[in-house]
Amino acid sequence: MRITNRLLAFLLSLGLTLGAVLVLIEIVARAVGAKPIVLDWPGLHRWASGTTWGSGFVRLIGGALAIVGLLLLVAQLKPRRPHRLRLEPVDPATDAAVTRRGLARTLRNAAIEVDGIDDAHVVVGQHHVRLRAEIRDGTAPAVDSLHQAVASAAQHRLDALRLATAPTLSVRISNGEQH
C-alpha cells in the first residue's frame, strides 16, 4: 500500500503542477494580449455559464469524482500490514521491535549456516513464517535430517528474539532446481 500511496501522491502532485503551469501560461498570454495558448478558457467559460448543476454531464462527473473519492477513502482506512513485529519488553519503559526484513534475514542466515543448505528464502507474515531451504545437489545428507536441522536452527533464532507474539514456523526443503 505504501507504493500505491506514493504513486497516487506523485500523480496528484504532477496533475496539480501541470494545472498551475497551464493557468500561469494563460494568465501571461492574457496579460500580453495574446489569444489563449493551451486551453480555450473563454469557450470553457461560455459552456460553464450556460450549464446548470442539474445537467447530466455535471452529474456524471460529480458521481465519478465521488466514487473515486470513496475508493481512495476505503483504501486508506484498510488496516496496513505491520512492518515491525514487537519484542517482549525487558523493561516496561522500553518498546522494541524487529522489522519483517530483519527477521527474514536472521532466519535465512540461520538456515544457510546448516551444512548442506545452499540458499534459503523466508516469507514473514504476522502470525506465520515460511522458510524454504534449498539443498546442494549430491552433497546434502538425508532430507529428513536437514529438515530437522534447519527447523531447529531457525526456531532457536526465533526463540532468541523473544517476539511478543511468536509466529509459527514452517520449513520446506527443496532441490535448488525446483521452485
Side-chain angles (χ1 to χ4, degrees):
M1 193 63 172
R2 189 174 11 169
I3 292 174
T4 305
N5 284 346
R6 289 179 181 173
L7 180 63
L8 288 174
F10 173 74
L11 292 174
L12 180 63
S13 66
L14 185 65
L16 289 173
T17 302
L18 288 175
V21 168
L22 287 176
V23 168
L24 185 62
I25 289 171
E26 294 300 334
I27 288 172
V28 170
R30 174 76 172 165
V32 297
K35 292 182 177 182
I37 296 177
V38 179
L39 198 62
D40 181 23
W41 60 267
L44 265 167
H45 184 265
R46 280 190 302 279
W47 174 83
S49 299
T51 306
T52 65
W53 286 105
S55 74
F57 185 72
V58 172
R59 284 185 175 193
L60 179 69
I61 295 295
L65 289 174
I67 289 171
V68 168
L70 284 173
L71 289 175
L72 288 173
L73 180 65
V74 167
Q76 292 304 310
L77 292 177
K78 179 183 172 208
R80 286 172 176 64
R81 189 174 117 177
H83 295 287
R84 301 173 350 132
L85 301 171
R86 294 192 62 200
L87 301 175
E88 286 182 4
V90 178
D91 183 317
T94 304
D95 183 25
V98 63
T99 62
R100 289 177 186 278
R101 183 181 294 178
L103 179 59
R105 275 192 207 133
T106 298
L107 295 178
R108 180 186 179 278
N109 289 341
I112 61 175
E113 287 174 2
V114 174
D115 255 354
I117 299 298
D118 191 36
D119 197 9
H121 179 72
V122 181
V123 176
V124 178
Q126 186 172 356
H127 303 291
H128 194 75
V129 175
R130 290 187 317 266
L131 187 149
R132 188 189 77 223
E134 296 177 3
I135 59 174
R136 292 183 211 125
D137 286 335
T139 61
V143 172
D144 289 339
S145 64
L146 268 181
H147 185 276
Q148 180 62 31
V150 170
S152 175
Q155 189 64 51
H156 179 68
R157 291 269 177 99
L158 200 55
D159 293 341
L161 286 172
R162 295 182 39 215
L163 294 168
T165 306
T168 57
L169 176 67
S170 68
V171 177
R172 195 178 88 202
I173 304 294
S174 67
N175 187 339
E177 297 171 0
Q178 298 171 351
H179 290 291

